[in-house]
Amino acid sequence: MAAAAMIGITTLRCHHRRLPARSRATSTARSCTLPPRRHRRGSPALRSSSCPASSACSPHGRPAAALSRVAAKNKGFMGPAGNGAATLHRPSSSDLHRRLIVPNSTAGTGDASGSSGLLPTILGVAHLIVSLGIVLATDKFLKQAFVAASIKFPSALFGMFCVFSGLVIFDTFAPALAKGFMDFFEPATMFIQRWLPLFYVPSLVVLPLAVRDVPAASGLKIFAITFGGWFATLAVAGYTALAVRKLVKTQLTRAEPMGKPSPFSTVEIWAWAAIFFASFGVAYFNPTALGTTAKTCLPFLLAATVLGYMVGSGLPAGVRKVLHPIISCALSADLAAVAYGYLSGSGLDAVLGDYLTKAPSNPGAGDVLMGFLGSVIISFAFSMFKQRKLVKRHAAEIFTSIAIASTFSLYSTAIIGRLIGLEPSLTISILPRCITVALALSIVSFFEGVNSSLTAAVVVLTGLIGANFVQAAMDKLGLSDPIARGIGTASSAHGLGTAALSAKEPEALPFCAIAYSLTGIFGSLICSVPAVRQSLIFIAG
């Protein structure tokens, strides 16, 4: 692989041998086993060496000794062997991407694993820029094409279907090509996974503007529908999965391992802090330094949003239950907006208006972040393809649960909104409350007269409720099966619930990831049907 060529160990030749059952169960890495340094001629240690008798290895093991001297210079890649010998492990592609593409907490500390040279880092960053740039460009092209053709179907969702179909075709006829395709876009998918919560934040930041015209009584009704609807959807999805599991009796199979992005480093935090203070000063002394106030405020508002997310992610687990990173992220951006509005005399409303302008020619910080939402949808294709075997094996549980839960969520919201007297426009705005922001905004665009900022805020609120209460709720409901817990969490609380559950229940993560993607996809598909839209409007009043 290209990533493996970036490190300086490609000249090391590894011998392969079958590992004992115990070793194979704990490691799938290829290893080069070195014999003990001191031994007698003809000893068992020599005869069990990885070098065959016909090789160039001398009885004294000189090539192995040379290899040990080379390997000693790269201790960051050394690991313990089961037989007391030293073992040189070749890192996986995902490990390399996290080291080279995504900065980690050891960066700059002088650790051997992070000091392999400047060139690998430059190549890794270039790889990230190219792969992510292709995804963003594809999303933009499809969006423009769909607008020009007056197609209301979500363009990014069409792109996701195309990418997934292409990967399946490649895997059928040229598996190596499919693997290369996945490896090439891995930096982009890891980047999106690392910063995913940030893309939800802009609608929360400008929430004071969005709810200004919403009466307090309507706000209480919306909260009641959101909380009660989340619990009901969780129960429907979980029990449906359990019922189907009992019918098909498919044994749970092991899922493909899913990579996790690295934590934020101190260097990253200080870098964004420097950007914030420098750009805040520029905007204060010259509000139109970059042409417009929105463009001038963009750097420091973006930096405030990012810093809030970084700091919130580093808080203790107990604190994060109360102050979720998304909340700290939105509060950080709002505090920066309040400070700048007060010092500059422009006021909070004007700064929040510059944060999310929804004007491509005059973007704000929120517009930049929300510009990644289409890429999030396209990236679903890679996660679904990676878990394709799991989807195929448990297709009955997954698709049945998601179809029933998604339909129930949409229609129950419309029915409850009508029963408690919520305004029809507000009811329609919160219909996709259990669907990720990226697709929820596409769904409400099918309807007229909706408040898209309220839609995004309710979606995030649903995710926060799920992130804090989903495990306790499933325990009370008696949902102990990993498939039921994963599908129930993602179907009711999308990405935020998924992140909270996967931290403590990794066995449910693959089903969360699948349901998280498919719930939004199914919701978008059924809402694109005119008859379904008309029925929802009729029920909402």
Side-chain angles (χ1 to χ4, degrees):
M1 291 178 57
M6 297 178 185
I7 59 176
I9 60 170
T10 54
T11 56
L12 300 179
R13 301 178 60 89
C14 293
H15 298 277
H16 305 280
R17 60 183 177 85
R18 290 185 60 85
L19 296 175
R22 184 176 179 180
S23 300
R24 289 198 302 271
T26 57
S27 174
T28 58
R30 291 183 296 175
S31 61
C32 301
T33 305
L34 310 181
R37 181 164 295 193
R38 290 189 178 91
H39 50 74
R40 292 180 300 173
R41 186 187 302 271
S43 66
L46 268 179
R47 290 193 298 269
S48 62
S49 170
S50 60
C51 295
S54 60
S55 69
C57 294
S58 67
H60 300 288
R62 290 176 183 174
L67 181 59
S68 66
R69 289 195 297 271
V70 174
K73 299 178 183 179
N74 293 279
K75 294 181 180 179
F77 298 102
M78 298 294 287
N83 58 358
T87 303
L88 181 62
H89 291 284
R90 181 174 297 177
S92 66
S93 174
S94 59
D95 291 338
L96 287 173
H97 283 141
R98 285 195 292 273
R99 291 176 184 173
L100 301 178
I101 306 298
V102 184
N104 55 34
S105 57
T106 62
T109 61
D111 183 74
S113 63
S115 59
S116 56
L118 183 61
L119 180 60
T121 302
I122 294 176
L123 292 176
V125 172
H127 188 182
L128 169 63
I129 293 174
V130 173
S131 60
L132 184 62
I134 292 175
V135 176
L136 291 171
T138 302
D139 174 49
K140 185 176 181 179
F141 170 77
L142 290 174
K143 188 177 298 183
Q144 292 176 346
F146 274 52
V147 170
S150 300
I151 301 175
K152 286 190 174 182
F153 188 80
S155 58
L157 192 57
F158 174 78
M160 187 277 295
F161 282 128
C162 291
V163 173
F164 181 76
S165 301
L167 286 170
V168 171
I169 294 173
F170 290 157
D171 187 58
T172 303
F173 298 101
L177 187 59
K179 184 179 184 303
F181 202 81
M182 290 287 292
D183 290 341
F184 178 79
F185 284 100
E186 185 177 1
T189 57
M190 290 298 295
F191 176 89
I192 292 172
Q193 181 182 346
R194 193 185 196 217
W195 297 102
L196 181 61
L198 270 184
F199 310 145
Y200 300 156
V201 168
S203 297
L204 276 185
V205 175
V206 299
L207 187 61
L209 299 180
V211 301
R212 177 171 298 172
D213 298 329
V214 177
S218 298
L220 291 176
K221 293 175 182 177
I222 290 173
F223 179 80
I225 293 175
T226 302
F227 190 89
W230 161 77
F231 184 81
T233 305
L234 171 65
V236 168
Y239 284 132
T240 302
L242 281 181
V244 178
R245 288 272 289 153
K246 292 179 180 179
L247 290 175
V248 297
K249 298 180 180 179
T250 305
Q251 292 186 351
L252 184 65
T253 184
R254 191 177 69 87
E256 291 292 326
M258 302 184 66
K260 292 185 178 181
S262 63
F264 299 108
S265 66
T266 305
V267 174
E268 290 179 283
I269 296 177
W270 281 110
W272 279 104
I275 294 173
F276 171 78
F277 287 110
S279 56
F280 189 95
V282 171
Y284 175 74
F285 289 106
N286 188 358
T288 58
L290 299 180
T292 64
T293 55
K295 292 180 180 178
T296 306
C297 292
L298 190 156
F300 82 81
L301 288 176
L302 179 62
T305 308
V306 173
L307 283 171
Y309 177 57
M310 288 180 167
V311 173
S313 299
L315 294 175
V319 177
R320 289 201 304 270
K321 289 184 177 180
V322 180
L323 188 64
H324 194 276
I326 283 189
I327 299 297
S328 63
C329 183
L331 288 176
S332 176
D334 281 330
L335 288 175
V338 169
Y340 182 78
Y342 175 77
L343 294 175
S344 65
S346 58
L348 176 62
D349 289 357
V351 181
L352 292 181
D354 288 336
Y355 184 89
L356 187 62
T357 65
K358 298 182 181 179
S361 60
N362 186 34
D367 299 284
V368 172
L369 294 175
M370 295 189 73
F372 284 91
L373 291 178
S375 302
V376 172
I377 299 173
I378 295 176
S379 70
F380 288 167
F382 298 99
S383 59
M384 289 174 57
F385 178 77
K386 191 171 185 179
Q387 301 295 344
R388 62 195 181 280
K389 295 181 181 178
L390 197 69
V391 173
K392 183 178 180 181
R393 182 175 181 84
H394 300 284
E397 303 100 297
I398 294 171
F399 288 103
T400 304
S401 303
I402 288 172
I404 293 177
S406 299
T407 305
F408 171 82
S409 175
L410 290 169
Y411 279 94
S412 64
T413 302
I415 293 171
I416 299 301
R418 178 72 175 268
L419 291 177
I420 65 177
L422 185 63
E423 292 87 338
S425 61
L426 296 180
T427 301
I428 297 298
S429 297
I430 65 173
L431 283 179
R433 54 181 173 76
C434 292
I435 296 173
T436 183
V437 173
L439 286 171
L441 295 178
S442 298
I443 290 174
V444 295
S445 67
F446 292 139
F447 304 90
E448 296 180 358
V450 296
N451 187 335
S452 59
S453 296
L454 177 62
T455 301
V458 169
V459 169
V460 174
L461 176 61
T462 302
L464 293 174
I465 292 172
N468 285 282
F469 303 110
V470 68
Q471 287 181 294
M474 288 191 295
D475 291 340
K476 292 292 183 181
L477 292 171
L479 300 175
S480 58
D481 186 82
I483 296 180
R485 292 176 74 87
I487 294 175
T489 299
S491 298
S492 61
H494 49 81
L496 298 182
T498 294
L501 184 69
S502 62
K504 297 181 179 179
E505 301 181 22
E507 67 277 4
L509 175 59
F511 300 98
C512 282
I514 295 168
Y516 165 56
S517 306
L518 292 179
T519 299
I521 293 169
F522 185 83
S524 299
L525 290 176
I526 63 174
C527 285
S528 65
V529 179
V532 173
R533 293 201 301 270
Q534 292 301 320
S535 64
L536 289 170
I537 294 173
F538 175 78
I539 294 173

